[in-house]
Amino acid sequence: MPLALARRISANTVSVAGLVLGGAAALAYTHWGNPALALVGLALSIGWLIADGLDGMVARATKTASPLGRMLDGLCDHGVFALIYISLALTIDTPEAWILAVAAGAAHAVQSNMYEGERSRFHRRIRGVALDAPPVPTGNALVRFYDGVAGSIDRIAMPFERTLGQASDPVALGQSYAARAVAPLRFMALLTANVRVWAIFVACFAGNPRIFWWFEIVPLTLVAIVGLVWHRRVERAFVRNTAPPRSKTASRMHLS
C-alpha cells in the first residue's frame, strides 16, 4: 500500500488492475489440462486477490471511498470469476457445462453479496452503532441494485437493530453480541474469494472444472444458508433476553 499511496494510484485503478490480473488467470485456466498453466492461473489469481484487498485499503487511507467505488470493486470481484467461469465453459462447450457455469455464477453472486452484508453489519454493531432504518440505496440504477441486494438482510435484522439502539449501553451490548456472532461469521468466511480461488485451482489441477461448479452450487450454498440462519438465531436470542419485562397490570389486562 505505501507504494500505491506514494504514486497516488487511485483505488479504482487498483480495482481495474485486479481485473486485468484476473482476466489473465482466466486465460491461463483455458489450458486447465496442463498442470503448469493451472499453477500459472493460481499465481495470477493470488495477484488479483492482493489487488482486491488493496483497493479498499487505498480508498480508506485516501478517504476516497464512494458508492461508485464500491460498485466497481464488486464488479471487478464478480467480473473475474465470471471470466473464469466463461473461459472454463468455453473449453468444455457442452450444454451441461454452460448450465453449470451459469448456475455457479448466480450462486456466487448471491452468496458473496450476502456475506459482505453480514460482515459489514457485524463490524458496525460491535461499535454499538445501530441502524435507525434500513438504508435506502442511492446513486445510479446499477449502484442502487447492488446496494439493495447487499442490504436486503437489514430489513430482516431490524428487531436486533432496534434493541441495540435502545440499549442503555450499546457498546457493551455490541461486544456481547460479537462474542456470540463471531462463530457464524467465521463459518461464513468459507464464502470468501480465497476459498474459491483454491477450489478453482484444485478442480483444474485435477482435470475436471465441474468439481468447482458443483462445489459452488451445493456446499457453498449450504454454508450461506446455515450462516444466515445461525446469525439470525443469535440476534433473536439477544432480542428476547433484552426485552423489558411486562408488568403484572399489563399481564392481567391481556388475560382479561
Side-chain angles (χ1 to χ4, degrees):
M1 187 176 72
L3 181 61
L5 294 176
R7 299 191 174 213
R8 298 185 179 181
I9 299 173
S10 70
N12 290 348
T13 300
V14 176
S15 294
V16 173
L19 182 60
V20 172
L21 286 169
L27 184 60
Y29 278 130
T30 59
H31 303 282
W32 50 266
N34 184 330
L37 286 175
L39 283 168
V40 171
L42 174 63
L44 289 167
S45 296
I46 291 173
W48 160 69
L49 284 177
I50 293 171
D52 188 48
L54 183 61
D55 57 4
M57 296 170 64
V58 171
R60 287 188 293 273
T62 57
K63 295 181 172 56
T64 55
S66 66
L68 178 60
R70 285 199 312 275
M71 184 197 71
L72 182 59
D73 181 43
L75 287 177
C76 289
D77 184 358
H78 299 314
V80 167
F81 282 107
L83 288 173
I84 293 175
Y85 294 171
I86 291 170
S87 66
L88 294 177
L90 282 170
T91 61
I92 301 173
D93 201 21
T94 64
E96 171 253 358
W98 282 106
I99 291 171
L100 281 177
V102 171
H108 173 197
V110 173
Q111 294 160 7
S112 296
N113 214 301
M114 292 298 181
Y115 172 66
E116 286 303 315
E118 291 285 85
R119 192 166 65 91
S120 62
R121 193 173 296 113
F122 174 83
H123 287 293
R124 170 177 51 76
R125 288 169 170 177
I126 64 178
R127 301 193 307 271
V129 179
L131 283 181
D132 294 327
V136 178
T138 58
N140 62 49
L142 193 56
V143 172
R144 290 199 305 273
F145 174 77
Y146 184 83
D147 286 347
V149 174
S152 59
I153 301 298
D154 281 319
R155 291 183 285 276
I156 301 172
M158 281 310 296
F160 179 84
E161 299 292 348
R162 287 191 288 270
T163 299
L164 181 63
Q166 294 166 5
S168 58
D169 189 345
V171 175
L173 180 58
Q175 292 299 315
S176 297
Y177 152 83
R180 295 279 301 277
V182 69
L185 265 293
R186 283 177 177 167
F187 178 70
M188 291 187 74
L190 290 170
L191 300 174
T192 59
N194 301 37
V195 173
R196 290 185 173 91
V197 161
W198 282 100
I200 290 169
F201 166 70
V202 169
C204 290
F205 197 79
N208 188 358
R210 295 175 182 85
I211 295 172
F212 167 69
W213 290 328
W214 281 115
F215 174 72
E216 180 74 75
I217 294 168
V218 181
L220 291 188
T221 296
L222 289 175
V223 167
I225 293 171
V226 170
L228 288 170
V229 172
W230 189 357
H231 196 182
R232 301 292 82 74
R233 289 184 65 182
V234 170
E235 292 173 349
R236 286 196 296 271
F238 275 92
V239 171
R240 287 196 303 269
N241 293 338
T242 57
R246 300 174 64 185
S247 66
K248 292 181 180 180
T249 302
S251 299
R252 284 197 297 271
M253 290 176 61
H254 178 73
L255 290 174
S256 63

